[in-house]
Amino acid sequence: KAGVTQTPRYLIKTRGQQVTLSCSPISGHRSVSWYQQTPGQGLQFLFEYFSETQRNKGNFPGRFSGRQFSNSRSEMNVSTLELGDSALYLCASLGQGHTEAFFGQGTRLTVV
Amino acid sequence: DAKTTQPNSMESNEEEPVHLPCNHSTISGTDYIHWYRQLPSQGPEYVIHGLTSNVNNRMASLAIAEDRKSSTLILHRATLRDAAVYYCILRDDRYSTLTFGKGTMLLVSP
């Protein structure tokens, strides 16, 4: 059974640009959550999607957005990038009735 | 969200047991206690979870205090591959969100 796949693994962008990250959950999982990890703030919840609907949202500015497709794959978008957006972005998938979240290896975003 | 308190770091020798404590005095009745760990350059990995009773699985054991205000993750024989940041998380199983604290960095020496 394939795990959670995040693409790309590494990304370098310039301030002011926008970026789109992708997450393919484990087959059959309908819940996808996104997290941002930085040395200063640790792991912080961004948002969760379930069956193409945003079910929960963390405390991040509107520049951070996401969506989920009918095949449960999810994308997150960050517009007008700032240096502080440099982080490891992790996605996690969760199956219905399961309590264990499966994380991908993350996308390392560097904003210069 | 309910909060957890963990030591910043702990050290252990290889093949010795490790007890990682977690305090969660504001835990509510619907909160499950979850433990995840994050190895260097990897995403977090589920370790174990419980509600009231002690739990065992192939990776670890979870001992939960009778009043549920604290818990201990037990690695029975630490290996070098267990060196990671361990997160104790309270999660209401009605929701999928995990609220991570700073965790405990476990250092394992040969």
Side-chain angles (χ1 to χ4, degrees), chain A residues 7-69:
Chain A
T7 56
R9 290 291 312 280
Y10 303 92
L11 207 49
I12 299 175
K13 289 285 188 179
T14 305
R15 270 181 303 176
Q17 287 187 312
Q18 74 163 12
V19 68
T20 299
L21 312 182
S22 178
C23 172
S24 293
I26 290 172
S27 177
H29 287 192
R30 292 159 64 189
S31 167
V32 174
S33 297
W34 288 89
Y35 294 82
Q36 181 197 65
Q37 185 171 30
T38 59
Q41 298 298 318
L43 271 154
Q44 293 185 287
F45 170 73
L46 279 156
F47 28 66
E48 183 212 355
Y49 285 87
F50 181 83
S51 293
E52 302 179 66
T53 301
Q54 188 179 87
R55 189 157 71 169
N56 203 355
K57 189 177 189 309
N59 189 25
F60 278 82
R63 300 184 297 108
F64 291 82
S65 63
R67 59 178 175 168
Q68 187 179 34
F69 302 95

Side-chain angles (χ1 to χ4, degrees), chain B residues 2-6 22-26 33 87-90 99-103:
Chain B
K3 295 288 190 285
T4 62
T5 305
Q6 299 178 253
C22 181
N23 287 321
H24 28 79
S25 58
T26 59
I33 301 157
Y87 297 98
C88 168
I89 299 166
L90 299 183
T99 302
F100 288 84
K102 301 245 183 257

Side-chain angles (χ1 to χ4, degrees), chain A residues 9 31 33 35 37 39-45 48 55-56 88 90 94 98-106, chain B residues 32 34 36 38 40-47 49 85 87 89 91 93-102:
Chain A
R9 290 291 312 280
S31 167
S33 297
Y35 294 82
Q37 185 171 30
Q41 298 298 318
L43 271 154
Q44 293 185 287
F45 170 73
E48 183 212 355
R55 189 157 71 169
N56 203 355
L88 179 67
L90 292 155
L94 193 70
H98 297 161
T99 55
E100 175 182 351
F102 295 85
F103 283 81
Q105 289 200 287
Chain B
Y32 281 73
H34 287 247
Y36 282 75
Q38 188 173 21
S41 303
Q42 307 231 0
E45 171 188 37
Y46 168 83
V47 177
H49 81 281
V85 178
Y87 297 98
I89 299 166
R91 186 186 139 203
D93 265 11
R94 294 172 295 177
Y95 309 109
S96 302
T97 305
L98 295 169
T99 302
F100 288 84
K102 301 245 183 257

Side-chain angles (χ1 to χ4, degrees), chain B residues 8 15 25 27 34 49 59-60 67 72:
Chain B
N8 290 334
E15 299 194 7
S25 58
I27 191 170
H34 287 247
H49 81 281
M59 287 181 72
D67 63 4
T72 303

Side-chain angles (χ1 to χ4, degrees), chain B:
Chain B
D1 289 325
K3 295 288 190 285
T4 62
T5 305
Q6 299 178 253
N8 290 334
S9 64
M10 291 185 66
E11 293 185 32
S12 175
N13 293 319
E14 205 174 7
E15 299 194 7
E16 288 184 356
V18 180
H19 291 233
L20 296 165
C22 181
N23 287 321
H24 28 79
S25 58
T26 59
I27 191 170
S28 72
T30 54
D31 286 329
Y32 281 73
I33 301 157
H34 287 247
W35 284 81
Y36 282 75
R37 71 179 185 181
Q38 188 173 21
L39 279 66
S41 303
Q42 307 231 0
E45 171 188 37
Y46 168 83
V47 177
I48 200 167
H49 81 281
L51 183 62
T52 55
S53 305
N54 294 345
V55 185
N56 301 295
N57 67 19
R58 65 175 178 80
M59 287 181 72
S61 295
L62 176 61
I64 301 171
E66 198 169 328
D67 63 4
R68 301 213 320 129
K69 293 187 176 182
S70 65
S71 61
T72 303
L73 178 70
I74 302 164
L75 306 179
H76 295 287
R77 288 182 66 194
T79 70
L80 296 178
R81 286 175 294 179
D82 291 323
V85 178
Y86 286 78
Y87 297 98
C88 168
I89 299 166
L90 299 183
R91 186 186 139 203
D92 186 327
D93 265 11
R94 294 172 295 177
Y95 309 109
S96 302
T97 305
L98 295 169
T99 302
F100 288 84
K102 301 245 183 257
T104 296
M105 179 174 289
L106 176 65
L107 306 168
V108 181
S109 302

